Amino acid sequence: MLSPRLSFHALLMIGLGGALLSSSILAGATLLLAIAGIALSVRKSLDKTGWDKPKELRLLHFAFWFFVLVSFLSWALEGFDYEGGKTFGTHARFILFWPLIVAMSYARIGARTTFVAIGLIAVSIIGVFLVTVAARQGTFEQVLNSRFGGGINPISFGNLALLGGMLTIVAALFFTRDNRRGVATLLFLAGTAAIVISMLSETRSNLVALPFLLAALVPLFGKRLRIAGLVAIPLLVTGAIVISDRMSHSLEGLLHDGGLDTGMEIRLEVWAQAWNMFRESPWTGAGLGGFTHRIESEVEAGNLPKHFIDCCTGHAHNDLLNVAATSGIPGILSWALLIFIPLAIFARHLFSRHIPTAHLATAGTMVCAGYFFFGLTEATFNRSLFVTFYLLAVASLASAMFTELSGSYVRNRARKVSATVITKNEEDHIADCLTSARLVADEIIVLDSGSTDRTVEIARGLADVVEVTDWPGFGVQKQRALEKATGEWVLSLDADERITPELAREINHHLSDPDADAYKLPWAVTIYGSRLDFGRSGRAPLRLFRRQGVSFSDALVHERILIPAGRKIKTLRGRLTHYTHRDFGHSLEKSAKYAWLGAMEKHRRGKKTRTMIYPTLRGLMTFVQVYFIRFGFLDGAVGYLTAVTYAQVTFNKYAGLWTLDRSQSDTFHE
């Protein structure tokens, strides 16, 4: 009997591998995995393993549930229309994203299982094709001369067959790097066959998507092969267009007769209807069932031919125009987030030096890019097969990528690191700070500026160098600490920061053979019992750098690390825990101090604020940036309080600058 973890592996293979055999296989496997994920969430099984929830997965979860939320509101605003209910039922599948993540993360499904499951897609495509040929008693020519759809809509089959074939090529490249040449050869042949079969569907959006899918493969090759690949892409695409009768006829008609074929003319008319609907109701759209009712009413009024009832009700044959027409601007935003948040997360790791991560990132990028281009001529997110495939593909690839990343930091540090910390009255923090720094540092230097508590005593038991000095400001004090460092690399920490074990493994791994000259460490602000993943934690301050040639600015507050021009800076994934304040009272005290220091620093540099309108606008802009642009609302009530607090700090800083300008003016007039 299979263990629960192995059964999750099997369900993923069945779901992806059987997607084009039957949509019921895909839906059933996805549902079973989601049910398992819900059960694991209730029992908190994954949390008990010490799983550190990646904030990127939380962001992906938001993209999926926000799309469902907008869909539900559109359905509600139209009065829960029957046609809209069918569309919402399709969209509601996206709410299963997080349970799928939980199930696959618990099973620790990695690159190998995921790429085997992807390879089964190509195998199933070949199987469907061979069965179809056999069913037609071997009339191979008849199959070639018709639009092949594998028993379903030729567009759906063609799009997903092309995507499945390209993903299988990525799987073949992965197993080549994994020294499994036999498996790699079989997958390469299967992927190539699947791509050829997909072209038999005569789906024009395939030819639009093909060059971009091929381009996604380029980062997996060495520099010389990348150039060859970029040259080969237009040749391959040109060849695909030439052998496509449908595309050739369309181009021939456009070039010689100046007209489009019937299919494109119908789409243009449908798109015009969708655009008009959006213009009529840009903020709410016409509702999920609104497009169907619009086409029906236009046909009944005689404004559209009757065949539009058969071909064009239900959706606008374009994802963007469809959501614009039915859900307005919120729909456009939800669609953009659903495509571009996963795309950005996967694309960030395309050039990773960790082989499994790079290949999973390539596959994820392909899925997102493929759906973007397929959605130019088809409403992919209104078809249950497309929706479920996107859900399971993105969830499995993202889960596998972060599972692989968490286990990829295995090398030992080969560079000497000096950690520097400046302190004053930090007895509550200093021991934990220095203990965490020792995970990555050979030398720890503490400069104290006259603490009246036990900070210096505690530091002397944990640091290599401890000195007490005056207080010249943040920039100058950190420069003093830097000048005492002897390591090739320097880690500059504040006393209220901690290096987490995962971040320590990542730093030590990168410093075995550095791929940059400096690294930013993403914050994980921890206040009021909550760790913030977004909002204020959306920042990644520069903390780790090669010592030679680097200095600190002399700013009183918010000092900068000055890196020589031409040096490479990268951002690590691990989190730098930041305990910004003890309680709300300390928050108010610290905020007031930093706001006033910031005002004095700007005044020292000759900055001016001539009106109180500017501090007000800057405070508002800070709130919008922290709460909305950096997704601070995903951190709940604490995220809101943090955004308001930082907006107040910004207002106070520029208001303080305004008062300093007035004081200087009054002195001058006296």
Side-chain angles (χ1 to χ4, degrees):
M1 182 175 178
L2 287 176
S3 68
R5 282 187 167 89
L6 286 178
S7 65
F8 297 163
H9 287 247
L11 281 172
L12 177 61
M13 292 183 188
I14 292 170
L16 288 180
L20 290 178
L21 295 176
S22 169
S23 60
S24 298
I25 295 175
L26 172 63
T30 302
L31 181 60
L32 288 174
L33 275 171
I35 291 172
I38 292 170
L40 291 169
S41 296
V42 170
R43 293 185 299 200
K44 297 185 177 180
S45 300
L46 191 56
D47 294 334
K48 293 175 183 177
T49 66
W51 185 56
D52 186 17
K53 187 186 302 178
K55 71 173 186 178
E56 296 92 340
L57 293 182
R58 286 190 60 198
L59 194 56
L60 284 172
H61 182 210
F62 159 69
F64 280 86
W65 70 249
F66 183 70
F67 188 87
V68 176
L69 176 63
V70 171
S71 178
F72 175 78
L73 292 176
S74 297
W75 184 38
L77 287 173
E78 70 177 353
F80 300 105
D81 176 76
Y82 173 74
E83 290 294 333
K86 292 192 293 184
T87 300
F88 176 71
T90 299
H91 294 169
R93 300 182 185 206
F94 281 151
I95 209 68
L96 299 177
F97 178 81
W98 192 253
L100 289 173
I101 289 293
V102 170
M104 289 184 282
S105 297
Y106 178 78
R108 296 199 62 80
I109 293 176
R112 288 179 182 173
T113 296
T114 305
F115 282 126
V116 168
I118 284 171
L120 291 176
I121 300 174
V123 172
S124 68
I125 292 167
I126 296 169
V128 168
F129 179 75
L130 294 177
V131 168
T132 302
V133 172
R136 295 186 182 182
Q137 299 179 346
T139 53
F140 185 70
E141 186 176 345
Q142 183 182 352
V143 174
L144 294 179
N145 290 331
S146 60
R147 292 191 67 186
F148 184 72
I152 59 175
N153 183 297
I155 296 176
S156 300
F157 179 85
N159 286 162
L160 292 180
L162 174 64
L163 185 57
M166 290 299 303
L167 292 174
T168 302
I169 297 296
V170 178
L173 293 173
F174 167 74
F175 283 111
T176 299
R177 299 281 184 86
D178 200 36
N179 294 320
R180 296 171 183 268
R181 301 301 174 89
V183 175
T185 300
L186 291 175
L187 288 177
F188 181 79
L189 294 173
T192 303
I195 294 169
V196 172
I197 292 170
S198 75
M199 294 302 167
L200 298 179
S201 69
E202 295 286 347
T203 303
R204 285 175 290 206
S205 58
N206 275 6
L207 298 174
V208 177
L210 184 59
F212 298 95
L213 297 178
L214 290 170
L217 290 173
V218 172
L220 296 178
F221 298 107
K223 292 183 179 179
R224 293 181 180 178
L225 287 177
R226 286 176 192 171
I227 297 174
L230 291 173
V231 172
I233 288 173
L235 299 177
L236 291 171
V237 174
T238 301
I241 292 173
V242 169
I243 64 174
S244 171
D245 292 338
R246 193 160 177 251
M247 180 61 84
S248 298
H249 292 157
S250 297
L251 291 175
E252 185 178 350
L254 181 63
L255 294 173
H256 292 136
D257 303 328
L260 298 171
D261 61 32
T262 303
M264 286 306 301
E265 287 180 349
I266 291 175
R267 273 180 167 74
L268 288 176
E269 180 58 41
V270 168
W271 295 344
Q273 292 290 335
W275 174 248
N276 289 333
M277 290 172 65
F278 171 68
R279 292 176 62 189
E280 292 167 9
S281 304
W283 290 104
T284 61
L288 296 186
F291 187 81
T292 296
H293 299 313
R294 176 65 169 260
I295 295 298
E296 289 174 345
S297 64
E298 290 293 312
V299 170
E300 185 176 347
N303 296 326
L304 290 175
K306 291 184 178 180
H307 62 257
F308 272 70
I309 294 293
D310 298 323
C311 74
C312 305
T313 56
H315 57 80
H317 288 278
N318 178 286
D319 273 328
L320 178 58
L321 287 172
N322 192 70
V323 295
T326 58
S327 301
I329 292 174
I332 294 173
L333 178 61
S334 70
W335 168 82
L337 293 176
L338 188 62
I339 290 289
F340 292 110
I341 284 180
L343 181 62
I345 289 172
F346 285 122
R348 180 187 172 190
H349 298 281
L350 283 174
F351 293 93
S352 172
R353 296 199 292 182
H354 184 238
I355 291 172
T357 298
H359 286 75
L360 289 165
T362 298
T365 301
M366 278 188 178
V367 171
C368 301
Y371 269 71
F372 175 82
F373 289 106
F374 299 155
L376 295 178
T377 59
E378 183 69 13
T380 58
F381 292 125
N382 270 39
R383 293 187 179 273
S384 59
L385 176 59
F386 273 112
V387 165
T388 313
F389 187 89
Y390 190 76
L391 170 66
L392 187 57
V394 171
S396 60
L397 289 166
S399 173
M401 186 172 76
F402 288 107
T403 295
E404 293 286 355
L405 271 173
S406 67
S408 66
Y409 310 126
V410 295
R411 298 199 299 261
N412 294 320
R413 178 165 44 87
R415 303 294 190 276
K416 181 180 179 180
V417 175
S418 297
T420 62
V421 184
I422 64 171
T423 61
K424 183 175 182 180
N425 294 333
E426 294 284 1
E427 67 177 356
D428 294 336
H429 288 298
I430 192 62
D432 289 339
C433 174
L434 299 184
T435 300
S436 73
R438 189 60 77 180
L439 296 173
V440 298
D442 305 283
E443 175 186 55
I444 298 178
I445 298 162
V446 175
L447 258 60
D448 187 83
S449 53
S451 292
T452 57
D453 59 8
R454 297 178 58 246
T455 299
V456 173
E457 177 188 342
I458 296 170
R460 283 181 173 148
L462 297 168
D464 301 288
V465 177
V466 179
E467 292 187 10
V468 179
T469 73
D470 61 341
W471 175 245
F474 283 92
V476 174
Q477 187 75 332
K478 288 193 174 185
Q479 178 62 29
R480 287 174 175 175
L482 175 61
E483 290 170 357
K484 295 182 181 299
T486 61
E488 179 186 352
W489 284 74
V490 172
L491 173 67
S492 177
L493 289 178
D494 291 338
D496 57 4
E497 295 174 336
R498 311 281 187 275
I499 300 292
T500 61
E502 183 173 358
L503 176 57
R505 290 195 301 272
E506 187 177 3
I507 288 174
N508 289 330
H509 178 86
H510 278 278
L511 292 189
S512 68
D513 182 19
D515 57 350
D517 301 294
Y519 294 99
K520 294 181 178 181
L521 310 182
W523 262 344
V525 174
T526 303
I527 48 175
Y528 313 126
S530 299
R531 187 187 83 173
L532 307 184
D533 285 333
F534 303 98
R536 187 60 177 171
S537 286
R539 292 183 59 201
L542 184 64
R543 286 286 187 264
L544 181 64
F545 50 88
R546 293 185 194 272
R547 179 169 56 89
Q548 185 178 12
V550 175
S551 62
F552 282 87
S553 67
D554 62 355
L556 294 174
V557 67
H558 300 313
E559 70 291 339
R560 293 183 300 114
I561 298 175
L562 306 176
I563 304 292
R567 293 195 181 178
K568 184 186 295 185
I569 301 174
K570 287 194 172 184
T571 302
L572 301 184
R573 279 198 62 253
R575 313 299 297 282
L576 180 66
T577 306
H578 187 199
Y579 296 92
T580 57
H581 46 264
R582 296 184 297 273
D583 50 40
F584 191 62
H586 184 221
S587 169
L588 295 175
E589 177 187 339
K590 189 174 179 180
S591 297
K593 173 186 174 183
Y594 274 83
W596 182 239
L597 286 173
M600 290 193 295
E601 173 63 23
K602 287 188 175 295
H603 184 68
R604 183 175 72 89
R605 290 160 49 197
K607 302 292 184 181
K608 295 182 181 296
T609 297
R610 302 185 185 280
T611 169
M612 283 297 292
I613 295 176
Y614 186 72
T616 303
L617 291 176
R618 285 300 298 257
L620 180 61
M621 288 167 59
T622 296
F623 178 81
V624 170
Q625 181 187 43
V626 173
Y627 194 66
F628 291 107
I629 297 175
R630 291 181 177 170
F631 300 100
F633 58 87
L634 294 179
D635 288 320
V638 177
Y640 175 77
L641 178 58
T642 302
V644 172
T645 300
Y646 277 101
Q648 183 69 58
V649 170
T650 301
F651 173 83
N652 289 345
K653 179 171 62 177
Y654 287 97
L657 178 59
W658 181 77
T659 64
L660 288 170
D661 290 341
R662 288 175 63 85
S663 298
Q664 185 181 49
S665 176
D666 291 344
T667 302
F668 175 76
H669 288 302
E670 289 177 4

